[in-house]
Amino acid sequence: MSQQTYSQSYSGTRNSHIAYPLGGIGAGMFCLEGTGAMSHFSLRHAPDITHEPIIFSGLCVKGEQGHIARVMEGPVPSWKIYANKAESMNPGSGLFAKHFGLPRFESSSFHARFPFGTVELNDNRLPVEASITGWSPFIPLDADDSSLPAAALEITLINTTDRPVELVYSLHAANFMAFNKSTKQRVYSAKSGKGFVLEQSPAEGKPWEEGSFSAFTDHPNAKVDCAWFRGGWFDSLTMVWNAIKEGRSAEKPEVTEGKPSPGGSLFVPLTLAPHDREVIRIMLSWHVPETKLIEGVEAAKHPDWAGEYHKPWYAGKFATISEVSEYWFRHYDSLRERSLKFSDTFYGTSLPAEAKDAITANLTILKSPTVLRQTDGRMWGWEGQQLKEGSCSGSCTHVWNYAQAVPHLFPDLERSLRVTEFTEGQDERGHQNFRVPLPIQPASHKYHAASDGQLGGIMKAYREWRISGDTEWLRKYWPQIKQSLTYCKELWDPDGIGVLIEPHHNTYDIEFWGPDGMCSSIYIGALKAASLMGEALGDISNGYEELYRKGREYLEQELFNGEYFEQKIIWEGLRAPDPAKLVPQGNDSYKAAETLEGPEAWNVNYSKEAQELLQQEGPKYQYGKGCLSDGVIGAWIAEMCGLGDILDRDKVKSHLLSIYRYNLKRDLSEHANPQRSGFALGQDGGLLLCTWPRGGQLSLPFVYSNEVWTGIEYQVASHLMSIGCVEEGLDIVRVCRDRYDGSIRNPFDEYECGHWYARAMASYGIIQGWSGIRYDAVERALYVSPKVSGDYSSFLCTASGYGIAGIRGGEVFVEVKDGTIEVDEIRLV
């Protein structure tokens, strides 16, 4: 099902699953669908992916022979008619009280140019062309303006005839902020522009119920109806449609007696001259200042809990919906101009279309409920989202290891993750909980550390230093960084071999026993990073460089099999007890397996037959002689961090080409996957996490080994590009994006353990991998290692500004588009 192009244009069957997130970082979202519908309303700091309330645009074209009225949406996708099982859209009840049965445009298509998404609507019966462009501010290096609880719909109407056309545009919304049966709700006129506010006031003792949503315009012709018809059954929607089809646009003030209005409407009557066009700007904003959200805080389990809940960043800046709306109203033009500047800069490069597609599609993750910000500005993330709750809490260190977008586009937010890891996430011994609580506070240390996450954090501290140029920031956290590394060494490499020997937890939710290329490559990367950080801070007698060299030699001589790096399974003679009897528990302690209860038990479960297998093959869930797609991930992180080659480059290249040769499948019809098959199956292509081309596959290899994860596809793809295998890397990108072509999956929602999965932001690494360009703020140097021949241009974002860099006429160039980029030296490598 290969796409012919990667222009982010979708029509026909490929437009059936488009849902394009709009909203701010940590502020909640809703989605503009490829048909023009609005859905996935998740404004209360938690995903609500099936929430599709009644909110839609209408259009009435007046004529002497009668009016033509349409909902400004294309045909309802067939999967919504029956396959959608959301409670509010129960197909068995006929899709009760939805607007799906109202006349709509004949067809629709969608085109994305992040952060803008445009729906083109077509209907031969109408004398106008119509489109809807949805966007919300996304401005690199300005985290606050990119975190606004706001979005816009720009409605473009074009008269295609030689005569004037009279019409009425309208926006209608039921009060979807209201709680069922609550009397503390209202619809009233907005204070900014002309529009309405949907409001829910909190019940006593339930401050988290408060919430408001505002829709307004700056159009001078606008009229507002805050008093929908009140009745039963389908009365309200019927009367709304009557107003649309008759081209009415009456002003109605807020209801002050009886039951509150069920919703609000905004009308803009227009007359378009022949071949004239007009753009109506609809500004949407929301304000939900309190939550009942708390994660990872044990005390909250008690019924008398009276502690703090998560409070969003924007609630500390804006006290009311009116303040949000006024800011949006006053700064709309500049926010749009700055967002457009970023978009034009990024799309104005010569990055291949499939690369632009993969990178920007996953920037939408930052607009989804996967990301939260608390009032002190710090970022906190889920791994992804289930339908109504976040999936896997705590800014999970080994998942966010892969995400490369935030450190470059919003480096202050990324540094906040490092601060959390090394302070609230780490105890006095250096043990890090790989999940931190929300609100951010000291973590419990009753669970074992994650080797890849904790060691990756040390490498990322090095990255944040090189990106920011802030050596004092590094100096401040250096004691905790050293403490973390010491803990890792003493727990997993107690004999100072330079690789991880003892059982070590990792992103596959299991422990690897014995040295493996994956986690040990991150270990030597952390040692190398620590050596360089220590040298810069005058702490050079720490032994990190010597241990790094020992570990590198072990990996290259003991784990490289001539094609790729393997795992050497060791489970006897270790400090850790027999895996069948004891399992790691918090820090460096152990607990009897037979006493395990709850979520940990399924992860061990050494039954009698499993113990027999242990004697034959060793511990469950290893990869041994497998070709692991994450097998040299430490070398990739090192590349992304600017550490250079931490392993022999030729051996790394051999490993990556082995992954490409053995793990990339263009059709999975014959592939057996008893695990989670929905990520890629049947005629889908994908990069398998592991294969065993030389034999030796274990009966029970690690639990996700047969799956396909986009974050790992991008990790391998960008790493291949960085070593000069550009076409192989782009091939993997194309195979991945072909699965997300809009016909079955949403191109703007790459999922793993949840929707909008953070690991997929590994795609941003394609920029550096393809271009070979990296800016070092400590040295104020631009490193350029061209991977493609001839002239080329790429996007470059530093901590002080962004622009375009590349080769022009055989010479390196940098064009700064916003801010400043101080380059004292260009280093061609």
Side-chain angles (χ1 to χ4, degrees), residues 215-338:
F216 59 95
T217 182
D218 57 356
H219 199 284
N221 294 357
K223 299 180 181 181
V224 182
D225 176 1
C226 294
W228 274 17
F229 188 92
R230 293 170 290 179
W233 292 96
F234 320 112
D235 294 355
S236 297
L237 185 56
T238 300
M239 296 299 278
V240 164
W241 179 248
N242 287 342
I244 295 171
K245 72 178 183 180
E246 294 166 11
R248 290 190 273 116
S249 51
E251 290 264 10
K252 294 182 183 179
E254 177 186 359
V255 170
T256 57
E257 52 76 30
K259 292 183 177 180
S261 171
S265 297
L266 174 64
F267 299 93
V268 181
L270 297 170
T271 299
L272 291 179
H275 304 288
D276 196 8
R277 71 195 301 272
E278 185 145 359
V279 178
I280 303 167
R281 309 194 302 188
I282 304 297
M283 303 172 205
L284 309 172
S285 57
W286 53 93
H287 191 262
V288 182
E290 303 291 343
T291 80
K292 198 180 180 182
L293 181 57
I294 188 164
E295 285 291 329
V297 181
E298 289 195 1
K301 298 176 183 178
H302 298 289
D304 58 349
W305 167 253
E308 296 293 323
Y309 293 104
H310 169 65
K311 192 176 180 72
W313 168 81
Y314 70 71
K317 181 177 177 65
F318 304 105
T320 64
I321 183 67
S322 295
E323 290 185 13
V324 177
S325 300
E326 183 61 21
Y327 187 90
W328 188 208
F329 184 73
R330 286 189 291 109
H331 297 280
Y332 185 94
D333 290 333
S334 65
L335 292 170
R336 191 186 195 286
E337 180 182 356
R338 294 164 68 202

Side-chain angles (χ1 to χ4, degrees), residues 487-683:
Y487 177 87
C488 294
K489 175 187 175 298
E490 292 178 350
L491 179 59
W492 297 310
D493 180 25
D495 296 324
I497 300 172
V499 292
L500 306 185
I501 295 286
E502 296 290 324
H504 42 285
H505 195 72
N506 57 72
T507 197
Y508 302 127
D509 299 324
I510 45 81
E511 285 69 45
F512 283 150
W513 292 71
D516 61 279
M518 176 187 169
C519 297
S520 288
S521 67
I522 302 176
Y523 180 34
I524 66 169
L527 289 166
K528 184 64 176 178
S531 173
L532 294 173
M533 290 186 285
E535 180 181 348
L537 297 173
D539 183 3
I540 56 177
S541 60
N542 45 48
Y544 298 144
E545 180 68 19
E546 179 184 359
L547 190 55
Y548 154 70
R549 293 186 181 279
K550 289 175 65 177
R552 173 173 176 164
E553 182 179 2
Y554 189 103
L555 277 158
E556 292 175 355
Q557 294 187 6
E558 300 294 328
L559 298 185
F560 186 71
N561 66 13
E563 276 192 293
Y564 53 85
F565 290 84
E566 299 179 342
Q567 177 197 15
K568 182 181 290 187
I569 301 173
I570 300 174
W571 60 283
E572 295 177 311
L574 301 177
R575 285 163 173 76
D578 184 337
K581 297 179 180 178
L582 300 171
V583 293
Q585 270 298 295
N587 300 337
D588 50 3
S589 62
Y590 293 84
K591 185 175 182 180
E594 58 268 20
T595 68
L596 278 177
E597 297 178 356
E600 294 160 318
W602 68 272
N603 207 17
V604 184
N605 193 18
Y606 270 98
S607 61
K608 180 180 179 181
E609 52 270 33
Q611 293 185 42
E612 293 174 356
L613 194 62
L614 169 66
Q615 299 305 316
Q616 299 168 20
E617 299 183 1
K620 291 196 295 183
Y621 311 142
Q622 309 303 296
Y623 72 92
K625 295 185 178 300
C627 179
L628 183 69
S629 290
D630 264 340
V632 289
I633 185 178
W636 174 71
I637 298 174
E639 185 76 28
M640 294 294 106
C641 293
L643 276 168
D645 293 326
I646 62 168
L647 283 169
D648 180 272
R649 194 170 183 83
D650 289 337
K651 288 182 171 63
V652 169
K653 183 175 183 178
S654 176
H655 182 97
L656 292 170
L657 288 174
S658 295
I659 295 170
Y660 179 75
R661 182 181 308 115
Y662 298 128
N663 296 12
L664 182 62
K665 307 298 180 183
R666 302 181 190 280
D667 186 323
L668 292 168
S669 300
E670 297 296 324
H671 172 63
N673 179 8
Q675 299 159 10
R676 299 176 301 179
S677 57
F679 308 140
L681 77 167
Q683 293 182 338

Side-chain angles (χ1 to χ4, degrees), residues 354-551:
E354 58 267 46
K356 292 176 181 175
D357 180 21
I359 294 161
T360 55
N362 287 301
L363 290 182
T364 64
I365 295 166
L366 296 177
K367 294 181 173 296
S368 76
T370 295
V371 180
L372 298 170
R373 285 186 75 192
Q374 59 182 29
T375 49
D376 64 0
R378 282 198 280 179
M379 190 173 83
W380 184 96
W382 300 95
E383 293 181 24
Q385 305 160 52
Q386 300 302 332
L387 295 182
K388 289 186 176 292
E389 59 185 13
S391 173
C392 307
S393 67
S395 310
C396 180
T397 56
H398 51 72
V399 168
W400 282 84
N401 256 356
Y402 296 74
Q404 298 297 325
V406 180
H408 294 280
L409 295 172
F410 303 102
D412 52 339
L413 292 184
E414 185 70 29
R415 284 198 302 274
S416 78
L417 291 178
R418 299 292 83 71
V419 170
T420 298
E421 289 167 11
F422 290 115
T423 54
E424 287 93 346
Q426 183 169 308
D427 68 13
E428 67 281 357
R429 292 167 293 179
H431 172 274
Q432 277 187 9
N433 193 326
F434 57 88
R435 302 186 190 279
V436 294
L438 184 76
I440 296 171
Q441 56 194 280
S444 166
H445 293 274
K446 296 181 179 180
Y447 200 68
H448 46 270
S451 60
D452 49 353
Q454 184 158 344
L455 290 163
I458 295 169
M459 298 179 74
K460 289 183 290 186
Y462 178 87
R463 179 189 64 192
E464 270 60 272
W465 171 46
R466 306 309 291 196
I467 286 176
S468 69
D470 189 347
T471 302
E472 291 310 305
W473 177 86
L474 177 64
R475 191 183 308 278
K476 180 178 180 180
Y477 296 103
W478 178 238
Q480 290 93 332
I481 294 170
K482 288 201 301 180
Q483 185 185 57
S484 173
L485 186 52
T486 297
Y487 177 87
C488 294
K489 175 187 175 298
E490 292 178 350
L491 179 59
W492 297 310
D493 180 25
D495 296 324
I497 300 172
V499 292
L500 306 185
I501 295 286
E502 296 290 324
H504 42 285
H505 195 72
N506 57 72
T507 197
Y508 302 127
D509 299 324
I510 45 81
E511 285 69 45
F512 283 150
W513 292 71
D516 61 279
M518 176 187 169
C519 297
S520 288
S521 67
I522 302 176
Y523 180 34
I524 66 169
L527 289 166
K528 184 64 176 178
S531 173
L532 294 173
M533 290 186 285
E535 180 181 348
L537 297 173
D539 183 3
I540 56 177
S541 60
N542 45 48
Y544 298 144
E545 180 68 19
E546 179 184 359
L547 190 55
Y548 154 70
R549 293 186 181 279
K550 289 175 65 177

Side-chain angles (χ1 to χ4, degrees), residues 34-48:
T35 62
M38 288 176 274
S39 64
H40 294 64
F41 274 81
S42 305
L43 309 183
R44 291 187 172 272
H45 313 291
D48 200 355

Side-chain angles (χ1 to χ4, degrees), residues 660-724:
Y660 179 75
R661 182 181 308 115
Y662 298 128
N663 296 12
L664 182 62
K665 307 298 180 183
R666 302 181 190 280
D667 186 323
L668 292 168
S669 300
E670 297 296 324
H671 172 63
N673 179 8
Q675 299 159 10
R676 299 176 301 179
S677 57
F679 308 140
L681 77 167
Q683 293 182 338
D684 292 331
L687 188 77
L688 298 176
L689 267 60
C690 196
T691 60
W692 284 263
R694 292 182 166 217
Q697 180 170 351
L698 301 164
S699 300
L700 292 173
F702 71 92
V703 293
Y704 305 129
S705 56
N706 289 300
E707 297 179 5
V708 171
W709 297 356
T710 69
I712 292 178
E713 288 176 304
Y714 296 136
Q715 176 263 122
V716 173
S718 56
H719 202 178
L720 275 164
M721 294 179 206
S722 73
I723 61 167

